[in-house]
Amino acid sequence: MKADATMLNGDKLMLRGLKFHGYHGVLPEEKTPGQKFVVDMDAWSDLREAGKSDNLDHSVSYAELYNIVKDIVEGPGHNLLESVAHLIATKTLTTYSQISTVLLKLGKPHVSVQGPVDYLGVEIFRFRKIDV
């Protein structure tokens, strides 16, 4: 597949260090009483018109992207972080046609491993399929 200009556009909206309480994990002790999750999101979109106009109608609201992440992470539990991340990316792409690509990092700071960690998690990259 060839990339088009919207996929290669360097403009992006960034959300960093979003923290939520959710109920995701394979083990019962991960789902009850739940745990903290940390999310970073990049959403690529051509922001030139917003830059020229200074009008939110030419961009996407950070608050609306935040709410997509919040609703999914704090919503019904999933076994895998891969599933949660995929759902966030898919919802973002289907809701906002002006977003061409999503990079999402989803981490669990409290994991049962032997040793100190900031978090363990997944990073996914999803893009809008285009005809070429």
Side-chain angles (χ1 to χ4, degrees):
M1 172 189 280
K2 293 181 183 176
D4 75 354
T6 59
M7 289 175 58
L8 299 176
N9 185 329
D11 301 348
K12 65 182 176 182
L13 301 165
M14 301 184 314
L15 290 79
R16 296 287 185 266
L18 309 175
K19 295 177 179 74
F20 304 101
H21 188 86
Y23 302 92
H24 314 290
V26 174
L27 303 174
E29 56 269 21
E30 293 178 298
K31 295 183 178 192
T32 306
Q35 58 191 305
K36 183 168 86 171
F37 293 87
V38 179
V39 179
D40 291 337
M41 175 194 268
D42 292 333
W44 276 263
S45 181
D46 187 339
L47 302 175
R48 284 177 285 201
E49 191 61 34
K52 292 175 190 175
S53 70
D54 196 28
N55 184 333
L56 182 57
D57 290 339
H58 299 136
S59 189
V60 176
S61 166
Y62 301 110
E64 291 176 12
L65 294 175
Y66 176 93
N67 286 332
I68 287 174
V69 177
K70 181 181 189 303
D71 290 347
I72 292 170
V73 175
E74 292 183 348
H78 292 256
N79 290 327
L80 301 178
L81 292 183
E82 293 86 339
S83 178
V84 178
H86 179 78
L87 187 57
I88 293 168
T90 301
K91 176 75 172 176
T92 301
L93 289 168
T94 57
T95 302
Y96 298 103
S97 62
Q98 63 270 52
I99 294 177
S100 63
T101 308
V102 173
L103 174 65
L104 191 92
K105 296 178 186 178
L106 175 59
K108 290 167 74 167
H110 305 291
V111 292
S112 40
V113 296
Q114 299 299 316
V117 298
D118 287 336
Y119 64 86
L120 301 180
V122 298
E123 177 177 279
I124 65 164
F125 185 77
R126 299 289 184 269
F127 60 93
R128 183 174 308 288
K129 292 185 171 47
I130 57 171
D131 295 325
V132 289

